[in-house]
Amino acid sequence: MDGAQVDRLRIAATVTLDDVDPDHPDAQHCLRSYFTELQERFETGFDPARSLLPDAGELRPPHGLFLVARLRGEPVGCAGLKLPVDAPAEVKRMWVAPQARGLGLGRRFLTELETRAARRGFDTLRLDTNKALSAAIGLYGSYGFQEVTAFNDEPYAHHWFEKRITAAPPE
């Protein structure tokens, strides 16, 4: 292992994942940054008003949750999880700041969200994404998600994924 890898691991170990309200300033900072990046990367741009954004209530207990990753106290990523009573759990708005990429935060978010969904008795985790987000698509495939037919009408999505998970007894 070279020095750069050791440094990345050391930095990654200091990142915290915290449950926050979606209206918390750190959550809002991450979402604004995420939407700005989507606007730049999508061929059609990105207008949050056109997207099937979950409302904040869908990302608050008991209907869901929202996580913010912090590095040295600064927000560097976010991920939401919808926990509907009549559908699979759904990953929403997962984003990692450019300066924190390469620290394994995407995989860490997915692991935490899967664990939380399993504890709530869910056996399927799903998400959708845009074709411009090739690194995310690669992550989802390497994490065990399988591409499925569209399960929503998200205008910005080109790919829909599901992963079977093992429901776990609540803690």
Side-chain angles (χ1 to χ4, degrees):
M1 189 176 298
D2 66 27
Q5 289 172 310
V6 170
D7 287 343
R8 263 194 317 278
L9 289 172
R10 187 176 303 124
I11 292 167
T14 68
V15 174
T16 61
L17 295 187
D18 304 305
D19 286 86
V20 300
D21 187 275
D23 288 332
H24 186 281
D26 287 352
Q28 290 298 302
H29 165 80
C30 288
L31 290 170
R32 279 191 308 277
S33 299
Y34 177 53
F35 296 158
T36 298
E37 183 172 343
L38 297 183
Q39 172 64 28
E40 294 167 0
R41 294 185 66 186
F42 290 1
E43 16 179 84
T44 60
F46 180 77
D47 177 1
R50 287 192 55 225
S51 183
L52 296 179
L53 294 172
D55 71 40
E58 292 177 289
L59 299 176
R60 287 186 183 115
H63 308 290
L65 61 99
F66 199 78
L67 300 174
V68 167
R70 291 184 177 106
L71 175 60
R72 298 181 193 99
E74 296 298 316
V76 294
C78 63
L81 183 66
K82 287 174 51 176
L83 299 165
V85 294
D86 58 350
E90 189 172 349
V91 176
K92 299 302 295 179
R93 305 304 173 215
M94 191 168 89
W95 172 80
V96 175
Q99 72 271 23
R101 292 181 186 157
L103 298 178
L105 293 181
R107 187 168 294 276
R108 193 166 158 197
F109 273 131
L110 289 175
T111 299
E112 185 65 22
L113 296 175
E114 179 179 333
T115 299
R116 303 275 192 104
R119 281 189 205 142
R120 289 279 188 69
F122 286 87
D123 63 4
T124 303
L125 192 57
R126 68 183 184 186
L127 55 86
D128 60 62
T129 197
N130 185 282
K131 65 185 178 184
L133 304 177
S134 55
I137 292 167
L139 171 64
Y140 303 144
S142 73
Y143 194 76
F145 281 89
Q146 301 292 315
E147 193 151 2
V148 297
T149 58
F151 52 77
N152 64 26
D153 295 327
E154 171 57 57
Y156 294 105
H158 299 103
H159 300 278
W160 290 261
F161 295 93
E162 286 188 351
K163 180 181 180 189
R164 300 288 294 171
I165 61 176
T166 303
E171 287 188 345

